Amino acid sequence: MSAVPSLVSAAWERTLDLVFPRRCVGCGVFGVFLCPACLAATPRAQPPRCPGCWMPRTGRPAGAAELCERCRTRCPAFEAARCPFVYAGAAREAVHALKYDGLSAVAATMAEAMAGTLSEWRPPVTALVPVPLAGRRRRSRGYNQSELLAREISRLSGLPVHGGLLVRRKATPAQARSADEAARRANVEGVFAAAPKAEPQAGALLLVDDVMTSGATLDACARALVAAGLGPVYALTFARED
Ligand SMILES: [Zn+2]
Ligand SMILES: [Zn+2]
């Protein structure tokens, strides 16, 4: 796995602060990348939700253990997915800053929230697996945002990152927001594979990504890992589209 830009050098951070002063991606206040006020105002992905895909409950009341209609119709290859935030407000701004504005340092704050969710949730996982990014996209961005999040979560949780377990066999067109679920699934069909050298390892794996939309990407990643005899697979994202 190639090197990831380090987020840890204090001297380098001070230099960056002079050139690019830290500003909150939500409100613009100086000093932090995501301020406590904006974080507190961002909608949390709170229960009641489907215990599988973590989609909010709608309609008739269901038991806490009951899966949503979608998970019952087409059971995802991951056991369960969780995230601290709904993809809205400052959470959306943070993802945009990380993904499109090159603000890799915001990953540390995002990962803190994710690590908090992980420690409350406590899935029986033994390693983190970032969702791989297409080579072309990674080169233009300079990093894989999921890998940055996984590394920060690793630092906070002590779980190792197994970045080489999954590979992306081809680039996919960016998921269009308007695309329906079938189109999203078709878009990621056959895109991911467990790396040929991946040794089956004992223990459950935790997929890490920035945003869960329909869950098609996480499902495709989990499917590839499970097909290679790995897993069971859980998924953690920073936010999800409700
Ligand atoms: Zn703010
Ligand atoms: Zn569900």
Side-chain angles (χ1 to χ4, degrees):
M1 196 166 69
S2 53
V4 165
S6 167
L7 303 176
V8 296
S9 159
W12 176 238
E13 279 197 9
R14 280 195 297 278
T15 308
L16 278 180
D17 276 348
L18 293 175
V19 188
F20 306 107
R22 289 169 192 236
R23 296 193 71 171
C24 173
V25 296
C27 66
V29 71
F30 285 97
V32 285
F33 292 115
L34 195 49
C35 81
C38 284
L39 265 183
T42 302
R44 311 276 309 187
Q46 298 278 29
R49 286 173 177 264
C50 167
C53 67
W54 210 234
M55 192 163 73
R57 294 267 188 224
T58 51
R60 66 183 177 82
E66 198 177 317
L67 292 173
C68 73
E69 183 70 42
R70 214 167 61 167
C71 285
R72 275 179 294 166
T73 313
R74 194 182 191 285
C75 193
F78 53 79
E79 304 295 311
R82 294 291 183 274
C83 60
F85 294 110
V86 173
Y87 188 55
R92 186 199 295 264
E93 299 299 327
V95 169
H96 271 249
L98 178 63
K99 230 164 159 166
Y100 306 115
D101 302 338
L103 187 60
S104 58
V106 77
T109 311
M110 293 166 73
E112 261 174 49
M114 294 168 77
T117 296
L118 183 60
S119 67
E120 284 166 29
W121 177 25
R122 297 195 167 281
V125 295
T126 55
L128 308 170
V129 180
V131 169
L133 195 65
R136 180 168 47 83
R137 216 163 274 159
R138 188 193 161 116
R139 278 190 296 279
S140 67
R141 196 171 295 162
Y143 54 84
N144 172 359
Q145 72 278 2
S146 307
E147 206 170 289
L148 288 190
L149 293 171
R151 285 182 178 258
E152 290 294 315
I153 296 166
S154 170
R155 201 172 51 77
L156 296 165
S157 67
L159 291 167
V161 180
H162 287 342
L165 277 190
L166 259 186
V167 292
R168 191 182 275 257
R169 292 198 284 211
K170 57 183 179 188
T172 46
Q175 297 272 30
R177 287 183 58 89
S178 58
D180 64 14
E181 201 178 329
R184 286 176 175 280
R185 285 198 192 286
N187 205 19
V188 291
E189 191 72 51
V191 164
F192 299 100
K197 61 178 187 306
E199 301 272 324
Q201 337 205 341
L205 300 170
L206 184 68
L207 281 168
V208 175
D209 206 358
D210 51 357
V211 184
M212 174 175 179
T213 305
S214 66
T217 299
L218 292 171
D219 184 36
C221 288
R223 215 163 279 282
L225 291 168
V226 170
L230 300 166
V233 180
Y234 294 78
L236 177 67
T237 63
F238 174 66
R240 91 184 298 296
E241 278 193 23
D242 279 354

